[in-house]
Amino acid sequence: MDKLLTAADAALRTLFADPIAAERSPAAGIAEADLSDEQRKLSGALMRVNHVGEVCAQALYNAQAMVTKDMELREHLLQAAREEMDHLAWTRERLHALGDRPSLLNPLWFAGAFAIGTIAAKFSDAASLGFVVETENQVSAHLESHLGRLPDEDEASRAVVKRMKEDEERHAAAAIDEGAMQLPPIAQGLMRLAAKVMTITAHKV
């Protein structure tokens, strides 16, 4: 029951509350750039996609923490979720600064990621952690592509994305240290397909 309540609380906080970061945003102190309408629209769309990724991260980590019977691993997953909450807050702040909004489909993204995380964790802790590694690796590559697309003038958004990429790579390495298994190629391919659908949709909706 405690695990279910913790997961429910995470869902409500992620979807309906203003996230509060424990650490100051990398964008703090960086002046907002004088972007053109086209540049502002692009930055907003990319940060909305990144915000969706953090919504999914909350769902994934909390689902896995709910299922695992290893209390040490559960705390590791919840700590990762707390760190990802900073990312959720930072991307939300950037959306506000850019005059844009989060995805209207965030409840759907959260539900889907929570279901996938639960299923992965039911197989084994090693499979669950393998899913974390593959997810973080794909997110890291995705953030790298955003650094190539964000306007050079939007230094605030670029600072946030760069720091997020560093953190995602650290989370992947930590999951490997915890005993993650390598997912089969078909699972990796399905994850990439799902991520592509989410990215294309969240870019606009």
Side-chain angles (χ1 to χ4, degrees):
M1 182 59 70
D2 286 345
K3 291 182 178 181
L4 285 173
L5 290 174
T6 298
D9 180 68
L12 292 173
R13 289 178 182 275
T14 300
L15 296 172
F16 303 112
D18 289 330
I20 300 176
E23 186 176 340
R24 192 172 183 230
S25 171
I30 300 178
E32 289 295 329
D34 184 17
L35 302 175
S36 67
D37 290 344
E38 184 177 353
Q39 289 175 319
R40 189 173 299 276
K41 183 178 180 180
L42 174 60
S43 287
L46 294 177
M47 294 312 293
R48 179 166 50 252
V49 170
N50 293 332
H51 182 265
V52 166
E54 297 310 319
V55 167
C56 292
Q58 289 299 312
L60 174 65
Y61 280 121
N62 279 281
Q64 293 170 314
M66 181 185 71
V67 172
T68 184
K69 293 180 173 59
D70 185 327
M71 289 299 100
E72 184 176 343
L73 177 57
R74 179 171 185 265
E75 182 53 38
H76 169 83
L77 292 167
L78 291 177
Q79 177 59 35
R82 287 189 287 268
E83 293 177 6
E84 296 280 2
M85 183 61 73
D86 284 356
H87 297 178
L88 189 72
W90 298 344
T91 52
R92 183 65 177 268
E93 289 172 6
R94 289 308 304 150
L95 283 171
H96 179 74
L98 292 163
D100 219 313
R101 56 160 177 78
S103 171
L104 299 176
L105 300 178
N106 274 344
L108 176 63
W109 306 133
F110 187 96
F114 194 91
I116 292 172
T118 300
I119 293 171
K122 288 285 187 181
F123 281 101
S124 68
D125 286 339
S128 179
L129 288 168
F131 189 83
V132 169
V133 172
E134 184 61 27
T135 298
E136 299 289 25
N137 285 341
Q138 290 189 21
V139 169
S140 178
H142 168 80
L143 293 172
E144 179 67 29
S145 74
H146 278 196
L147 288 173
R149 296 179 64 193
L150 281 166
D152 291 338
E153 297 86 348
D154 190 2
E155 295 181 7
S157 294
R158 296 180 66 84
V160 169
V161 170
K162 183 178 179 181
R163 171 59 189 278
M164 287 171 58
K165 181 177 181 295
E166 293 171 355
D167 288 347
E168 307 303 357
E169 291 171 350
R170 178 167 52 81
H171 290 160
I176 292 174
D177 290 342
E178 289 288 333
M181 64 173 283
Q182 184 174 357
L183 297 185
I186 188 171
Q188 296 178 25
L190 288 172
M191 288 174 63
R192 283 192 290 271
L193 177 61
K196 185 175 182 179
V197 171
M198 182 197 75
T199 299
I200 292 174
T201 305
H203 195 274
K204 299 180 178 180
V205 183

